[in-house]
Amino acid sequence: MRFPTSRELDGSDAMNPDPDYSAAYVVLRTDDGYAGHGFAFTIGRGNDVQTGAIAALEPYVVGRDAEDLGALYKELVHDSQLRWLGPEKGVMHMAISAVVNALWDLKARRAGRPLWLLLAEMSPEEIVGLVDFRYLSDAMTPDEALQILKNGEKGKRERIEHLEKVGYPAYTTSPGWLGYDDDKLRRLCREALDQGFGQIKLKVGADLADDLRRLAVAREVCGSDYPIAVDANQRWDVAEAIAWVTALKPFTPHWVEEPTSPDDVLGHAAIAEGIRPVPVATGEHVQNRVVFKQLLQAGAISYLQIDATRVGGVNENLAILLLAARFGVPVCPHAGGVGLCELVRHLSMFDYVAVTGTMENRVIEYVDHLHEHFTDPVVIENGRYRAPSAPGFSSELRAESIAAHTYPGGDVWRNA
Amino acid sequence: MRFPTSRELDGSDAMNPDPDYSAAYVVLRTDDGYAGHGFAFTIGRGNDVQTGAIAALEPYVVGRDAEDLGALYKELVHDSQLRWLGPEKGVMHMAISAVVNALWDLKARRAGRPLWLLLAEMSPEEIVGLVDFRYLSDAMTPDEALQILKNGEKGKRERIEHLEKVGYPAYTTSPGWLGYDDDKLRRLCREALDQGFGQIKLKVGADLADDLRRLAVAREVCGSDYPIAVDANQRWDVAEAIAWVTALKPFTPHWVEEPTSPDDVLGHAAIAEGIRPVPVATGEHVQNRVVFKQLLQAGAISYLQIDATRVGGVNENLAILLLAARFGVPVCPHAGGVGLCELVRHLSMFDYVAVTGTMENRVIEYVDHLHEHFTDPVVIENGRYRAPSAPGFSSELRAESIAAHTYPGGDVWRNA
């Protein structure tokens, strides 16, 4: 599925000037009539490569028990021949993510629960059984993870009720895309405030003079204490990041996101040191739990940004939530794209209810794109994500949207 | 192309019990009648995913100038939509590697030079122009790389002559596969000595008692001073690696290869510290120059093992050779697989002639598999790689081999 977002410059940033937001989409069906939906998010060309990688997983999944998702997940990531293509990174890992998330959608539908609640009602032992601890034991053992989850049992019921009442805090990236002029930026900042968002984010990194001007516009509209994060989308080398962010310091960025390569743990650590007290955030392109482990061990990040479809699906995100809790670093998910808001809210809500017990200093990204294509779209009220109540992982696209956006045969593309 | 290597347990190790060595193969043709060959090495399932990723690069390459490989390489790795699938890692990066290597094969054939000599005859400025310095400047600037290459100009002509006379030292992994019994191990160790190899390597990490027994056998045959490296193929967590290697210390391993996840820079550094003085080697699964940079910055490796088809082809390997030189770490390439010996010898020979000027403490892996399928196969004499003289990158498979091993239609598979 491809959405022609490049036509309006929605989603433009310093590294991605013309994305067509896309989804390599998979549906798994059981004999008793259920279907689970999953996808990998891409930005256009290459979505077909991603689709091919998902198709290659068919023999691993068809005919299998759809309930024991710890065993099946570990089989997928440990298969030696597929593993050679990563290991646990890039196209093949995102394909596994799509399939694993579809399995979780299926399981939650069968259980009649939204995913966050299904997970929250599992025992600490069951959750630990879903996690692959390989390469993690120098940072977190299964026993330590179990203890985190056991601590999370206290007050769980009250937190579920509280969450269902007040929702989870969101921030919006909608004002901040690089392709927008200052008037549009000013208007969207005002709208963000009016809609009750407690934070916004601006893309930076293409041109320093532009960034300073755009930050001044945003500060003027939002006031001096309002949290404004900035996002460089991997644009800089280490020294350049430190110099550029130092120039932005008068505008007190709430965090600096993706200052450099997502692979560069030591680079992030050097930048964090060099721009103190401005906090560093990253994660949307971090390939797996092993890199997140190191970012935490190195003290390189103050905010950890999980992505729902890049690492190995729900199972690996459970490992990452637990790692973040162990290191006391708040998780603020990356969202936007196609359906990422729909998915990550489940993970943050599970984190609140069953892992960390707090929403303090935590926000889920919100971008107002493409939600109308989903059967269980996010609902934002007064700048907060409402807790979803429909069974599943909210990962299903509407049938009409699928028909229109299939590439290249769908109406949207045939008429282009 | 797939080769049914799993039938004989050739290539079996602690993580890869049943590989069918495979190549996603690409041929690029020019209007004036030249063809360049390249491939990504995989171990079976998933080779079709890799082939699909290479096919997705067709629009980037067809119709382009086949000479300016700095510009074309940077375009491929910087394309924002393809980059989203990595960035610079996994299936899409290996696809770029295959195409870039095919372009180099083409260029070297047109120039009538073996690749190592073509590179060695380029000016330092030309070589620097082929390298993508993004994310490297905290470890090596273009000026610093240029200086390394300028220093390498001195005595270049003499080194070319010396190399053509004596070749480049090799070590052999053939005795060490896990699937072999002790008699076969003993026999193959003797053969390695008889053939003049200056080093062997044994796979370890599946069972400690087995490893101790097999190392005792190898030491008995080879003697107490002969270099015997061991290779764990990513099997261990940090603490386990330190404990296991400590148990192997009485057998004085020449190096310990891939003790843990290739993504775990800090883990490698902790292991290197914990097993001193046993040196750590890694690289065959290291995804790109950014991770190599960090392994060097962290002092995590004593030997750097480039792979010819995992990172972004010749261009990114030039960056890695220069980084290794800057940090004074010897490069000992990973080889074996399908055609990796054929390819990496060119890179090590360029390193000797134009970068470091030495073969001291450096060896290229050699495995005696599948060379008969190549039109310009490696020649080993007295445990050393002879310098190739045929124009190109030695990456062309023989037409009969292609016909027989195409999967699933080739004879080898139709009759299986």
Side-chain angles (χ1 to χ4, degrees):
Chain A
M1 253 51 76
R2 300 197 195 188
F3 299 86
T5 47
S6 65
R7 295 177 194 167
E8 299 290 336
L9 291 186
D10 298 334
S12 59
D13 64 46
M15 293 289 273
N16 305 294
D18 59 349
D20 280 329
Y21 280 4
S22 302
Y25 193 71
V26 58
V27 186
L28 305 176
R29 297 184 196 283
T30 53
D31 292 337
D32 55 355
Y34 285 94
H37 303 254
F39 54 86
F41 168 54
T42 78
I43 61 171
R45 289 184 293 277
N47 198 56
D48 48 345
V49 175
Q50 194 58 60
T51 308
I54 292 173
L57 297 173
E58 191 177 317
Y60 294 81
V61 176
V62 171
R64 298 296 302 275
D65 174 4
E67 288 297 324
D68 184 1
L69 302 189
L72 188 43
Y73 161 70
K74 286 170 200 169
E75 221 174 281
L76 285 167
V77 293
H78 291 173
D79 177 86
S80 66
Q81 300 194 12
L82 297 179
R83 193 177 181 282
W84 190 268
L85 304 179
E88 299 187 60
K89 58 179 65 77
V91 166
M92 189 46 74
H93 206 44
M94 289 163 73
I96 289 173
S97 170
V99 169
V100 167
N101 285 342
L103 286 162
W104 278 103
D105 183 46
L106 187 63
K107 187 178 170 85
R109 284 165 188 264
R110 291 166 68 100
R113 290 276 189 287
L115 179 77
W116 68 270
L117 186 58
L118 175 79
L119 292 171
E121 289 176 348
M122 285 182 168
S123 71
E125 289 79 6
E126 284 175 296
I127 296 290
V128 165
L130 295 167
V131 170
D132 181 9
F133 285 92
R134 172 167 272 183
Y135 305 135
L136 295 188
S137 61
D138 56 324
M140 178 178 67
T141 64
D143 279 351
E144 289 163 343
L146 192 65
Q147 200 49 56
I148 291 168
L149 290 159
K150 282 188 169 166
N151 296 343
E153 297 266 83
K154 248 177 319 209
K156 195 192 270 186
R157 189 46 57 191
E158 292 74 19
R159 286 195 296 279
I160 291 174
E161 282 168 26
H162 181 64
L163 177 68
E164 288 176 331
K165 202 156 60 188
V166 307
Y168 198 104
Y171 76 92
T172 176
T173 309
S174 293
W177 302 107
L178 282 186
Y180 295 170
D181 64 30
D182 289 357
D183 283 346
K184 189 165 184 180
L185 168 61
R186 188 174 284 112
R187 176 168 61 75
L188 292 171
C189 284
R190 281 213 193 89
E191 285 180 22
L193 295 180
D194 292 346
Q195 290 160 359
F197 287 103
Q199 178 183 328
I200 62 165
K201 188 170 75 186
L202 264 56
K203 301 291 183 176
V204 298
D207 181 280
L208 181 57
D210 278 352
D211 291 348
L212 292 167
R213 196 192 68 250
R214 292 166 62 252
L215 270 165
V217 168
R219 268 279 162 251
E220 186 198 317
V221 177
C222 299
S224 60
D225 291 337
Y226 186 83
I228 302 177
V230 299
D231 182 357
N233 290 86
Q234 312 169 24
R235 183 60 183 250
W236 302 313
D237 278 26
V238 170
E240 193 183 12
I242 293 171
W244 199 299
V245 176
T246 299
L248 302 183
K249 270 186 178 177
F251 298 101
T252 55
H254 184 64
W255 72 52
V256 174
E257 184 171 327
E258 288 203 303
T260 192
S261 165
D263 306 342
D264 199 347
V265 172
L266 300 179
H268 276 84
I271 292 166
E273 181 65 30
I275 65 172
R276 229 172 273 291
V278 180
V280 171
T282 202
E284 72 175 89
H285 264 92
V286 169
Q287 64 206 30
N288 59 37
R289 71 199 179 286
V290 179
V291 179
F292 276 118
K293 177 189 78 167
Q294 294 174 82
L295 288 165
L296 293 165
Q297 287 173 320
I301 53 173
S302 299
Y303 295 95
L304 187 153
Q305 301 178 300
I306 55 170
D307 181 279
T309 78
R310 186 164 294 276
V311 302
V314 170
N315 294 65
E316 192 162 16
N317 268 321
L318 292 174
I320 296 164
L321 292 176
L322 289 164
L323 277 170
R326 173 136 177 83
F327 283 84
V329 168
V331 171
C332 299
H334 167 244
V338 178
L340 300 181
C341 300
E342 276 66 24
L343 268 52
V344 289
R345 57 183 172 160
H346 289 275
L347 302 171
S348 276
M349 289 175 188
F350 166 74
D351 180 66
Y352 165 64
V353 169
V355 182
T356 60
T358 180
M359 295 189 251
E360 192 76 29
N361 200 23
R362 285 156 171 84
V363 275
I364 304 173
E365 184 165 23
Y366 174 68
V367 187
D368 61 356
H369 290 168
L370 308 176
H371 303 293
E372 65 277 18
H373 299 295
F374 284 83
T375 60
D376 182 26
V378 295
V379 178
I380 303 286
E381 284 173 343
N382 199 26
R384 300 172 78 93
Y385 276 86
R386 198 199 278 169
S389 57
F393 196 8
S394 312
S395 45
E396 184 180 1
L397 280 167
R398 295 161 55 90
E400 316 88 87
S401 295
I402 291 176
H405 294 89
T406 299
Y407 181 89
D411 281 353
V412 166
W413 296 107
R414 264 192 299 125
N415 304 338
Chain B
M1 254 51 76
R2 300 199 196 187
F3 300 85
T5 47
S6 65
R7 295 179 193 164
E8 300 289 335
L9 291 185
D10 297 336
S12 59
D13 63 48
M15 295 291 272
N16 305 295
D18 59 349
D20 280 329
Y21 281 4
S22 303
Y25 193 72
V26 58
V27 186
L28 305 176
R29 295 185 198 282
T30 52
D31 293 337
D32 55 357
Y34 285 95
H37 303 255
F39 53 87
F41 168 55
T42 78
I43 61 170
R45 289 184 294 277
N47 198 55
D48 47 344
V49 176
Q50 194 58 60
T51 308
I54 292 172
L57 298 174
E58 189 176 318
Y60 295 81
V61 176
V62 171
R64 298 295 301 274
D65 173 4
E67 288 296 324
D68 183 1
L69 301 189
L72 187 44
Y73 161 72
K74 285 170 200 168
E75 220 175 280
L76 285 167
V77 293
H78 290 173
D79 177 86
S80 66
Q81 299 193 13
L82 297 179
R83 193 178 182 280
W84 190 268
L85 305 179
E88 300 187 61
K89 58 178 67 76
V91 166
M92 189 46 75
H93 205 44
M94 289 162 72
I96 289 172
S97 169
V99 169
V100 168
N101 285 343
L103 286 162
W104 278 103
D105 183 46
L106 187 63
K107 187 177 170 84
R109 285 164 187 264
R110 291 166 68 100
R113 290 278 189 284
L115 179 76
W116 67 270
L117 186 58
L118 176 79
L119 292 171
E121 290 176 348
M122 285 182 167
S123 71
E125 289 77 9
E126 284 175 297
I127 296 290
V128 165
L130 295 167
V131 170
D132 180 10
F133 285 91
R134 172 166 272 182
Y135 305 136
L136 294 189
S137 61
D138 55 326
M140 179 178 67
T141 64
D143 278 350
E144 289 163 343
L146 192 65
Q147 200 49 56
I148 291 168
L149 290 160
K150 283 189 170 165
N151 295 343
E153 297 267 84
K154 249 179 318 215
K156 195 192 270 188
R157 190 45 57 192
E158 292 74 17
R159 286 195 296 279
I160 290 174
E161 281 168 26
H162 181 65
L163 176 69
E164 288 176 330
K165 201 156 60 186
V166 306
Y168 199 104
Y171 75 92
T172 175
T173 309
S174 294
W177 303 107
L178 283 185
Y180 295 169
D181 63 29
D182 289 358
D183 282 346
K184 188 165 184 180
L185 167 61
R186 188 174 286 113
R187 176 168 60 77
L188 292 172
C189 284
R190 278 210 196 92
E191 285 181 20
L193 296 180
D194 292 345
Q195 291 162 356
F197 288 104
Q199 177 182 328
I200 63 165
K201 188 169 77 184
L202 265 56
K203 301 291 184 175
V204 297
D207 181 276
L208 180 57
D210 278 353
D211 291 348
L212 292 168
R213 197 192 67 252
R214 291 166 61 250
L215 269 165
V217 168
R219 268 278 162 252
E220 188 199 318
V221 178
C222 299
S224 59
D225 292 336
Y226 187 84
I228 302 177
V230 299
D231 182 357
N233 289 88
Q234 313 169 22
R235 183 58 183 253
W236 302 312
D237 278 29
V238 171
E240 194 183 11
I242 294 171
W244 199 299
V245 177
T246 300
L248 302 183
K249 271 187 179 176
F251 298 101
T252 55
H254 184 65
W255 69 53
V256 174
E257 182 171 329
E258 287 204 304
T260 192
S261 164
D263 306 343
D264 200 347
V265 171
L266 300 179
H268 276 84
I271 292 166
E273 181 65 32
I275 65 173
R276 231 174 271 290
V278 181
V280 171
T282 202
E284 71 175 87
H285 264 93
V286 169
Q287 65 207 27
N288 58 37
R289 71 198 177 285
V290 179
V291 178
F292 276 118
K293 175 189 77 168
Q294 294 174 81
L295 287 165
L296 293 165
Q297 288 173 320
I301 52 173
S302 300
Y303 296 95
L304 188 153
Q305 300 178 301
I306 55 170
D307 181 278
T309 79
R310 185 164 295 276
V311 302
V314 170
N315 295 66
E316 192 162 15
N317 269 322
L318 292 174
I320 296 163
L321 292 177
L322 289 164
L323 277 170
R326 172 136 178 83
F327 283 84
V329 169
V331 171
C332 298
H334 167 244
V338 178
L340 299 181
C341 300
E342 276 67 24
L343 269 52
V344 289
R345 57 182 171 160
H346 289 275
L347 302 171
S348 276
M349 289 174 187
F350 167 74
D351 179 68
Y352 165 65
V353 169
V355 182
T356 60
T358 179
M359 297 189 251
E360 192 75 28
N361 201 21
R362 286 155 170 86
V363 274
I364 304 172
E365 185 166 22
Y366 174 69
V367 187
D368 61 356
H369 289 168
L370 307 175
H371 303 292
E372 66 276 18
H373 300 294
F374 284 84
T375 59
D376 182 27
V378 296
V379 177
I380 304 287
E381 284 172 341
N382 198 25
R384 301 171 77 95
Y385 276 85
R386 198 198 280 169
S389 57
F393 196 7
S394 313
S395 45
E396 183 181 3
L397 281 166
R398 294 158 55 90
E400 316 88 88
S401 295
I402 291 175
H405 294 90
T406 299
Y407 182 90
D411 282 353
V412 166
W413 296 106
R414 266 193 298 125
N415 303 338

